[in-house]
Amino acid sequence: MFQVTRLAAKAATLGRKVVNNVEKGKLKPENFSEQLDTFYQNAMDMAPSQKGFFKKIKAWITAFKENYQKTKKGIKEDVQYIKEEQYKDNYITNPSKSADKKFTKAAKKFVMQIYKLQMNNLKSEIKRLKNH
């Protein structure tokens, strides 16, 4: 679960930065890609930009909780989907517990890598938009 926590924290921090930079005029939402626009809208739905220090902390914690729940649920669903598809494609009907556990671990690692790549893509897009 530690990886999920780190992903949720990165998403909360990145989301709050995007919201604050849009409010300051450093980023223009009309230049966002579809993925970044969705990310920005989700961050705005959780908590719009705040001025006070304690309100900012509360907004970050709210965003973290939402991201944690979404990420945990998304990883679980993605791993289950990968397992079902692979078992169906390879005509496996009753895998042993140890084999299933190993495959679940490998699928979870794969899904986490995809989530990390998506976060890195968002970060690089934000940097590129900020520089232009």
Side-chain angles (χ1 to χ4, degrees):
M1 283 296 124
F2 185 70
Q3 290 178 335
V4 177
T5 306
R6 282 201 335 224
L7 269 177
K10 284 181 183 179
T13 303
L14 192 60
R16 300 311 309 149
K17 283 183 181 179
V18 171
V19 169
N20 291 334
N21 283 328
V22 167
E23 186 194 70
K24 292 176 186 173
K26 294 180 181 177
L27 293 175
K28 298 189 178 0
E30 57 268 12
N31 297 336
F32 288 177
S33 69
E34 187 177 329
Q35 185 181 16
L36 184 57
D37 189 46
T38 305
F39 185 74
Y40 169 66
Q41 291 302 324
N42 288 341
M44 284 295 289
D45 290 344
M46 286 179 212
S49 183
Q50 304 292 331
K51 299 247 185 254
F53 179 72
F54 292 108
K55 287 184 180 181
K56 283 183 181 183
I57 291 173
K58 184 181 177 193
W60 188 90
I61 291 171
T62 302
F64 172 79
K65 283 180 14 185
E66 289 283 327
N67 288 329
Y68 184 82
Q69 291 168 350
K70 283 182 186 177
T71 305
K72 189 175 175 183
K73 183 180 176 187
I75 288 170
K76 195 173 191 178
E77 289 173 355
D78 290 345
V79 167
Q80 190 62 32
Y81 175 75
I82 289 171
K83 282 175 53 179
E84 288 172 2
E85 289 299 312
Q86 286 299 316
Y87 287 161
K88 185 173 72 175
D89 290 348
N90 294 311
Y91 303 106
I92 299 171
T93 55
N94 196 9
S96 67
K97 284 190 178 195
S98 62
D100 187 53
K101 197 173 189 178
K102 285 180 185 177
F103 188 70
T104 302
K105 189 174 181 179
K108 191 178 275 190
K109 186 176 180 180
F110 175 71
V111 170
M112 290 299 290
Q113 287 175 342
I114 289 173
Y115 276 54
K116 286 178 186 175
L117 284 173
Q118 288 175 339
M119 290 299 293
N120 288 338
N121 286 345
L122 289 174
K123 277 175 140 176
S124 63
E125 183 179 349
I126 291 166
K127 284 181 185 175
R128 184 180 54 79
L129 288 171
K130 239 178 146 177
N131 291 336
H132 288 94

